[in-house]
Amino acid sequence: MHPFDKALELEPSGDDRWRGHTIPEWANMVGPFGGITAATIVRAIELHPQCHGHPIALTVNYLAPISDGEFDIVTRAVKTNRSNQHWIVELSQDGDVKTTATAIFGLRRDTWADTEVAPPAAQRPEDIAPSIPPFGVVWFDNYDMRFVDGGMPEEGAASGSSTTTLWVRNNPPRAMDFAALASVSDIFYPRVFLRQGQFVPAGTVSITTYFHADDDQLAAQGDDFVLATARAQRFSRGYFDQTAHLWGRDATLLATSHQIVYFKG
């Protein structure tokens, strides 16, 4: 089984309830990688018999680190309309809530469409050497990352820009789906590392991902690289915000994300 799908294995444990288990392949500095938690929440909703459509928006709030071991997820469909469906989700361990989320699923229909933003200029991923995972963070091994700019900074090499652009795909390659897209939306190391040129305690507090891709666009994406770019807007009083765009190689905008990050230093 692919390590991504292994992490998303869930068993029903009652009405609206699922039981999962962390796996060491997705360990972060504290608890599992936040992206894999977001992906697990998407999968829990997708498995629910009342699921209506596909992800449109997902907000995940990280209340406390998830410990190694089993966890429980409760998914509740709050309201289902003709076009969309609203969910509230909680992930807990031994009754202690560690993560909350809200999600909107919906049915997409053919309408007028346009994309006002454009992907950044970037050489082909085949022309860029794969990055070396930093400081022993295990979950990095599950991705093939090839930095266009804004790679992991060397100690003391502060930058005047917080922008990072990279090509990324699952390692080993795996076809893109909505859960994988949710995970890649959180692929970026904290922007404060790049600006200050040093590693400081930091972690995502809340992330919202907007899914723009439909089934056909995800099928066309296959297991190819995604061009991911992110930048911060403001660093202030221990928090910064981050905006990210995820593009297919054919310049299709697959998803956008926004998050608020806590940091020290």
Side-chain angles (χ1 to χ4, degrees):
M1 181 179 292
H2 194 283
F4 185 82
D5 297 296
K6 183 179 178 183
L8 269 57
E9 279 194 303
L10 296 171
E11 297 181 355
S13 58
D15 292 342
D16 303 330
R17 294 178 177 272
W18 311 90
R19 173 69 55 84
H21 198 288
T22 62
I23 61 173
E25 293 91 332
W26 288 95
N28 202 354
M29 290 180 286
V30 179
F33 166 50
I36 203 66
T37 301
T40 303
I41 289 171
V42 170
R43 181 53 47 84
I45 297 173
E46 290 176 330
L47 290 172
H48 199 288
Q50 295 178 15
C51 182
H52 179 68
H54 297 301
I56 303 296
L58 171 72
T59 297
V60 180
N61 305 306
Y62 300 96
L63 280 64
I66 299 171
S67 303
D68 292 339
E70 292 186 337
F71 56 82
D72 296 292
I73 296 179
V74 177
T75 56
R76 183 165 67 94
V78 180
K79 183 72 172 179
T80 301
N81 301 313
R82 182 180 301 177
S83 298
N84 54 58
Q85 183 177 56
H86 299 257
W87 292 84
I88 292 178
V89 183
E90 285 189 355
L91 185 153
S92 62
Q93 291 181 303
D94 298 323
D96 183 16
V97 178
K98 300 297 184 73
T99 307
T100 65
T102 58
I104 300 173
F105 276 50
L107 302 176
R108 295 185 181 273
R109 297 179 173 85
D110 289 335
T111 63
W112 175 83
D114 187 34
T115 303
E116 292 195 4
V117 293
Q123 61 266 53
R124 301 185 317 147
E126 292 81 4
D127 298 331
I128 305 173
S131 68
I132 299 174
F135 49 79
V137 177
V138 176
W139 69 265
F140 270 70
D141 291 329
N142 295 300
Y143 288 105
D144 181 350
M145 301 187 196
R146 307 188 182 205
F147 286 92
V148 177
D149 57 39
M152 296 295 289
E154 296 182 3
E155 186 69 23
S159 172
S161 170
S162 66
T163 300
T164 285
T165 300
L166 74 154
W167 290 101
V168 58
R169 68 176 175 182
N170 282 96
N171 180 36
R174 175 191 180 277
M176 180 63 72
D177 57 19
F178 290 106
L181 198 54
S183 184
V184 173
S185 295
D186 196 28
I187 198 72
F188 308 93
Y189 65 85
R191 306 292 81 214
V192 68
F193 291 4
L194 185 58
R195 287 299 311 274
Q196 293 193 344
Q198 62 179 336
F199 302 121
V200 300
T204 301
V205 177
S206 179
I207 181 172
T208 296
T209 299
Y210 299 108
F211 301 87
H212 304 298
D214 57 25
D215 287 331
D216 292 340
Q217 290 166 338
L218 287 184
Q221 173 67 25
D223 64 2
D224 199 4
F225 285 92
V226 169
L227 182 62
T229 186
R231 62 165 297 172
Q233 277 69 230
R234 178 171 170 80
F235 302 83
S236 177
R237 297 181 180 272
Y239 294 90
F240 69 86
D241 62 331
Q242 172 186 297
T243 298
H245 297 79
L246 305 179
W247 303 88
R249 198 191 290 246
D250 62 355
T252 296
L253 183 60
L254 303 173
T256 55
S257 71
H258 307 272
Q259 64 176 276
I260 191 75
V261 183
Y262 162 82
F263 74 95
K264 289 184 179 180

